[in-house]
Amino acid sequence: MSVKKSKARSVFIGVCVIPAVVLFVIFMLVPTFNVFKMSMYKWGGFSNSKTFVGLENFKTLMADSNFFRSFQNTVLLVVCVTVVTMALSLIFAAIISREKIKGENFFRIIFYIPNILSVVVISAIFSAIYDPTSGLLNSILGIFRGSDNPILWLGDQKIVIYSLVIAMIWQAIGYYMVMYMASMASVPESLYESADMEGAGKIQQFFSITLPLIWTNIRTTLTFFIISSINLSFQFVKVLTSGGPDGSTEVFLSYMYKQAYTNSSYGYGMAIGVVVFLFSFALSALVNFVTKREPLEF
């Protein structure tokens, strides 16, 4: 390659990369730095007076029982939603892909529809389903247990968090099912034929052939979904419950939002944001470490 062509190639690469780097710095690095910076100030968010307090916001955070409750709710949502969504997505993808069900494309579309709906629309649907007087769920259960004492799906502190879990699973399951179906389609049919000849059943083939060969995709989507579920939990809580009843569905981001923009404790809210950032980073690293394995080739 001539010097002239090499220089032109370098210029072309620079022109393509520099805009992305500039956008990353402006919209990612600078805001992240500002979050860490403002977490060390006492500031209402709307005035010009800022008081440097060092780590005082973090000391207050460690003694805040409401923060720890939001932390527990976030972990519960992440674990329950991730485990159930990933498991059902894999099962449905395997059934539709391997069993050659008629109308495969129809099921893909039906399962994928919730993913293209906004969280507001999904929350409205589940608000109607969970309605204690005229909701679909209580109407069905009323056939067996009567309608005198309807279940308050969004008003009972013991079950409201699980009502959110169901809504979040319904929203996400189709997207990951379609992704896993695409991965399963690349697995050679000859491997399954050989397994049939050896007497391996469908379940054994799933765990011995399908899962190992699509593990790289599972690992990637698992990390992505865990982080995105932290953001989604805020949206569902904000629209469905607003953190109620009595703070029983408060999560990381909803609690941070209330402290920063409702209670005029912007610095304290940014301290929560720092914890959320570190928690997300640590969780991603942990998932990548736990799911690491040598990729299989075929």
Side-chain angles (χ1 to χ4, degrees), residues 1-73:
M1 183 181 293
S2 65
V3 176
K4 186 176 181 180
K5 287 185 177 180
S6 178
K7 185 177 180 180
R9 182 173 181 273
S10 299
V11 171
F12 174 75
I13 294 175
V15 170
C16 293
V17 171
I18 288 175
V21 173
V22 171
L23 291 175
F24 180 77
V25 170
I26 294 175
F27 294 106
M28 292 294 294
L29 292 185
V30 173
T32 301
F33 173 77
N34 284 333
V35 168
F36 278 82
K37 176 184 175 182
M38 294 312 304
S39 68
M40 298 185 179
Y41 284 82
K42 184 177 180 181
W43 182 39
F46 301 100
S47 63
N48 292 324
S49 59
K50 302 175 186 177
T51 305
F52 181 79
V53 294
L55 299 177
E56 193 63 33
N57 286 326
F58 294 96
K59 292 179 181 178
T60 304
L61 195 64
M62 292 300 103
D64 189 348
S65 60
N66 291 325
F67 167 76
F68 283 103
R69 180 164 61 172
S70 70
F71 174 80
Q72 292 173 350
N73 289 336

Side-chain angles (χ1 to χ4, degrees), residues 106-122:
F106 171 77
F107 286 107
R108 285 192 186 193
I109 295 171
I110 292 298
F111 274 93
Y112 195 80
I113 284 177
N115 190 258
I116 64 177
L117 299 177
S118 70
V119 172
V120 175
V121 173
I122 294 173

